[in-house]
Amino acid sequence: MIIEILTIFPDFFKSPLQAGVIKRAIDAGIIDFRTIDLRDFTHDRHRTTDDRPFGGGEGMVMIPGPIFDAVDTIRAAGPAPCIIMLSPGGRLLDQELARSLSEKERLVFICGRYEGVDHRVVQGCADMELSIGDYVLSGGETAALVAVEVITRFIPGVLGCDTSAENDSFSTGLLEHPQYTRPREFRGMSVPEVLLNGNHAEIERWRRRQSLKITAERRPDLLKRAALTEDDRNYLKKLGLWSES
Ligand code: ADE
């Protein structure tokens, strides 16, 4: 997958991409990652990317010219990109959306800064607006990093095991069960007995039930959308954590 990030802060992406899963995927050639400096598409001495808002008000707004010029250059070479404008007003990123974006051949992220971006960028340039949560960041860069990490986890070969992202919290529709490793006893806390007995069916059942309980307690909204079996529902009823409504 080709990933291009349009930003006035290309250096922002240097160190996060030099670690962990994303670095390995870049090194393995699974992801071709590039940052594009928006200021390279300005035409004045000060390399201006923003201006005062029409109609007045505080703050500055990013001008459309450099963004459109950069996107024209991007479109002119290589496969057709999906152009994503990061914005708190965009579609909320979740596992399902990340999985579908992971199937694209080429993604371009436009990072806004200042108080906003001229609306014509959304009208005439971007294929979609994307938000990573109901809060406001100082710019799209942090959001782009989050999106790149979430999306690329679904690309085959990026994680050690191709199916891992499918088993993550949310991908199953439920939060993940607790995990333990050695030592068996730690500061008075012990590993649940069931995980030590080697009975895999029993372990799977315990894990499923832990997931159900944790999700019901913390995120009942997720439980409503999850695919549950009769056995799941009976277990939740027994705990008093299931309502038919
Ligand atoms: N830019 C500022 N806040 C944002 C958010 N929550 N998601 C995506 N882009 C943003």
Side-chain angles (χ1 to χ4, degrees):
M1 175 189 273
I2 303 168
I3 298 177
E4 283 142 313
I5 306 223
L6 211 53
T7 172
I8 55 166
F9 295 124
D11 286 352
F12 180 92
F13 296 90
K14 272 191 185 150
S15 98
L17 299 170
Q18 277 163 15
V21 167
I22 294 184
K23 177 187 182 335
R24 258 193 290 120
I26 292 171
D27 291 348
I30 301 169
I31 305 171
D32 177 357
F33 187 92
R34 303 166 205 162
T35 51
I36 297 161
D37 190 343
L38 204 53
R39 292 197 197 278
D40 291 345
F41 294 87
T42 56
H43 303 289
D44 64 318
R45 205 156 51 88
H46 301 292
R47 309 183 84 201
T48 308
T49 55
D50 64 330
D51 207 336
R52 288 184 315 251
F54 277 125
E58 280 172 26
M60 301 291 270
V61 174
M62 288 181 84
I63 57 177
I67 299 177
F68 271 76
D69 287 351
V71 168
D72 285 348
T73 305
I74 289 168
R75 282 194 204 275
C82 173
I83 306 214
I84 299 170
M85 172 81 222
L86 293 149
S87 147
R91 181 170 163 196
L92 208 54
L93 180 65
D94 61 12
Q95 290 286 91
E96 198 42 52
L97 180 56
R99 189 203 322 263
S100 80
L101 290 172
S102 75
E103 286 162 12
K104 306 270 184 204
E105 196 177 349
R106 189 180 187 196
L107 295 178
V108 175
F109 292 95
I110 304 174
C111 302
R113 275 272 146 182
Y114 310 112
E115 266 61 44
V117 179
D118 189 292
H119 188 62
R120 286 162 293 189
V121 171
V122 170
Q123 281 179 307
C125 222
D127 297 308
M128 71 178 292
E129 286 181 274
L130 185 70
S131 166
I132 62 157
D134 293 337
Y135 37 76
V136 178
L137 303 162
S138 302
E141 283 78 7
T142 330
L145 263 186
V146 170
V148 166
E149 180 153 336
V150 178
I151 293 165
T152 54
R153 287 170 61 81
F154 283 100
I155 301 175
V158 166
L159 298 182
C161 165
D162 280 356
T163 58
S164 318
E166 306 292 337
N167 292 335
D168 282 345
S169 278
F170 300 110
S171 282
T172 59
L174 299 173
L175 299 177
E176 215 186 344
H177 55 78
Q179 298 272 18
Y180 295 87
T181 183
R182 277 182 285 218
R184 278 168 74 149
E185 290 285 328
F186 182 73
R187 297 197 178 195
M189 295 173 281
S190 37
V191 175
E193 211 44 52
V194 60
L195 300 177
L196 307 172
N197 68 12
N199 182 332
H200 292 292
E202 227 178 273
I203 290 170
E204 276 319 301
R205 201 161 80 117
W206 180 85
R207 287 181 167 162
R208 178 79 185 172
R209 290 186 164 188
Q210 286 291 312
S211 280
L212 289 164
K213 183 168 181 286
I214 291 166
T215 310
E217 285 167 349
R218 298 184 193 171
R219 296 290 306 275
D221 56 311
L222 292 179
L223 204 61
K224 283 198 189 103
R225 284 180 274 140
L228 301 182
T229 65
E230 191 61 39
D231 192 54
D232 291 339
R233 275 191 292 272
N234 287 338
Y235 173 68
L236 289 167
K237 275 181 204 159
K238 212 170 72 190
L239 295 181
L241 292 171
W242 179 257
S243 75
E244 294 294 343
S245 60

